[in-house]
Amino acid sequence: MKAHVISDGVYCLHADIHTGELFEGIWPIPRGVSLNIYLVQGEKTALIDLFRDWTDAPRQIDEAFASIGVSYDTVDYLILNHLEPDHTGWLKEFRAKNPRAEIIATAKGVELVKTFYKTTDGLRVVKDGDTLDLGAGKVLAFYETPNIHWPETMMTFETSSRTLFSCDGFGSFGALGGHVFDDEFSAPEHAAFEEECLRYYANIVSSFSTFVERAAQKLSALDIAAVAPSHGIIWRAEPKRIFERYRTYAAWSKGPAEKRIAVLWGSMYGNTKRGVDAVIRGIERENVPYTALRVPDENLSYVLSEAFRSSALVLAMPTYEYAMFPPAAWMLDIFRRKHIFGKRVLRIGSWGWVGGAKKEYEAVIESLKWESLESYEWAGAPEAEDFRILEERGAELARAVKG
Ligand code: FEO
């Protein structure tokens, strides 16, 4: 990959990762992911964030360095906005190539350098508002943005190009190909990235939405010309677009999202599924958009993303050994961890010799601040009266979504 010029002396070097390996060991990335790092050259040179040795990332980044005639040993400062190993895993190799560069991070970041990489050499702590003058008009300013998405995170602003290096913040899944800038992608490509941005946010950032709001508020005081995250597109034509998208997502964590319904269902022998079909007939009667995903067949990454974007949920699960169908219990545990708050929810399901899902469900959702319609359960196979009630409940939920 060639390096991409953001402005005079400010470059993006990136690696596209295509792998069957899961991101964070959990989330599938069928469209890949990019690892972006940045180089700022004044009289001194700063490298902003690193990468990990993942597929052939080191080779791709080496090529980008070579394309601008720069090597690792010319770097004076290594800025680490965030210590998660996808941005720092190459640190030992970097140190072997360059033993003299100062490594700059927040106080918590420096502690994590020691924790992960067992090094104490050449570390410098910066705090909110500190600056680093690289000479030749290039100045880096540091802004602490904790919990986007680890406690040590900061963002770095280069003042001459007005570029915000935001690491995970304002990022997305999806490999970039030959382009990196927002104005280089077609509308369909942007639509695909938007889906991946939503899934990235729901999977990785959603638990920290309060911190996203705080950071967006704090950073809005800057005159930002480009937002340059460490995953995904660099926003130079419409930097406000990704800011607003993240603000919208942060708001969805707490209250109404899109006027649509996520129908999330599991079924053992088809009886709960027949109930789901009746609920869907009610939703369709009211012309509210919905997406139905079966658990555990559908990967939880997509289930989480669909739940996150929808104002209402249908959760359909049979009773299984006196409790919830286990894949549904797992799904709810993820919803709780990822702060899927503020939804309108209808829960339904079939039971065999005895119930039990309802009791466990009600205990599990207590912290989720959901507005629940009355649950509906039936014994064994649903009958005509069950179908009538289920269809009506679906329509009731859809009307509530329409508002
Ligand atoms: Fe891309 Fe939190 O690491």
Side-chain angles (χ1 to χ4, degrees), residues 23-24 82 84-87 149-150 167-168 200 204 230-231:
F23 192 86
E24 289 189 331
H82 172 37
E84 192 159 8
D86 52 332
H87 307 291
H149 73 285
W150 281 14
C167 203
D168 277 350
Y200 171 94
I204 291 167
S230 294
H231 304 294

Side-chain angles (χ1 to χ4, degrees), residues 148-383:
I148 307 176
H149 73 285
W150 281 14
E152 87 295 358
T153 46
M154 66 176 187
M155 296 187 188
T156 298
F157 184 63
E158 199 287 305
T159 59
S160 71
S161 61
R162 295 183 287 121
T163 304
L164 180 71
F165 302 104
S166 56
C167 203
D168 277 350
F170 312 113
S172 168
F173 290 142
L176 294 171
H179 304 304
V180 297
F181 295 109
D182 55 347
D183 47 280
E184 297 174 318
F185 293 98
S186 66
E189 286 170 330
H190 268 290
F193 269 108
E194 190 165 344
E195 287 295 316
E196 287 296 80
C197 186
L198 168 66
R199 192 166 66 88
Y200 171 94
Y201 189 99
N203 291 182
I204 291 167
V205 187
S206 62
S207 312
F208 304 101
S209 289
T210 299
F211 296 94
V212 170
E213 286 175 340
R214 276 185 208 157
Q217 181 62 30
K218 177 178 183 170
L219 298 166
S220 63
L222 300 175
D223 182 15
I224 296 170
V227 177
S230 294
H231 304 294
I233 295 171
I234 299 173
W235 300 83
R236 67 177 178 188
E238 296 183 277
K240 285 193 169 67
R241 183 167 163 187
I242 191 65
F243 247 73
E244 287 315 308
R245 188 181 294 167
Y246 262 61
R247 278 189 145 141
T248 298
Y249 292 163
W252 286 358
S253 280
K254 295 173 183 171
E258 291 183 6
K259 287 182 183 291
R260 58 184 300 119
I261 299 174
V263 181
L264 310 174
W265 65 278
S267 187
M268 296 165 67
Y269 299 107
N271 288 314
T272 294
K273 170 66 165 62
R274 293 171 72 202
V276 170
D277 292 342
V279 170
I280 286 175
R281 286 196 291 276
I283 294 170
E284 289 179 340
R285 237 170 58 197
E286 297 294 331
N287 290 315
V288 169
Y290 69 90
T291 300
L293 300 176
R294 182 176 190 175
V295 293
D297 307 52
E298 189 66 58
N299 188 285
L300 213 49
S301 170
Y302 294 88
V303 171
L304 183 56
S305 185
E306 196 59 36
F308 182 75
R309 76 190 291 211
S310 303
S311 288
L313 314 177
V314 175
L315 301 177
M317 63 191 78
T319 286
Y320 183 96
E321 295 177 356
Y322 310 101
M324 284 190 283
F325 185 51
W330 184 37
M331 172 177 73
L332 285 174
D333 182 53
I334 293 285
F335 287 179
R336 188 181 52 75
R337 290 164 188 257
K338 296 295 180 182
H339 295 188
I340 305 299
F341 294 154
K343 306 296 182 191
R344 290 179 192 271
V345 182
L346 168 64
R347 190 197 68 83
I348 66 164
S350 163
W351 51 273
W353 71 90
V354 70
K358 183 171 188 288
K359 188 174 173 196
E360 186 192 18
Y361 169 82
E362 287 174 354
V364 166
I365 67 160
E366 212 165 308
S367 64
L368 284 169
K369 304 168 195 166
W370 286 349
E371 193 174 318
S372 295
L373 272 66
E374 190 184 347
S375 282
Y376 190 76
E377 291 188 325
W378 61 96
E383 298 181 271

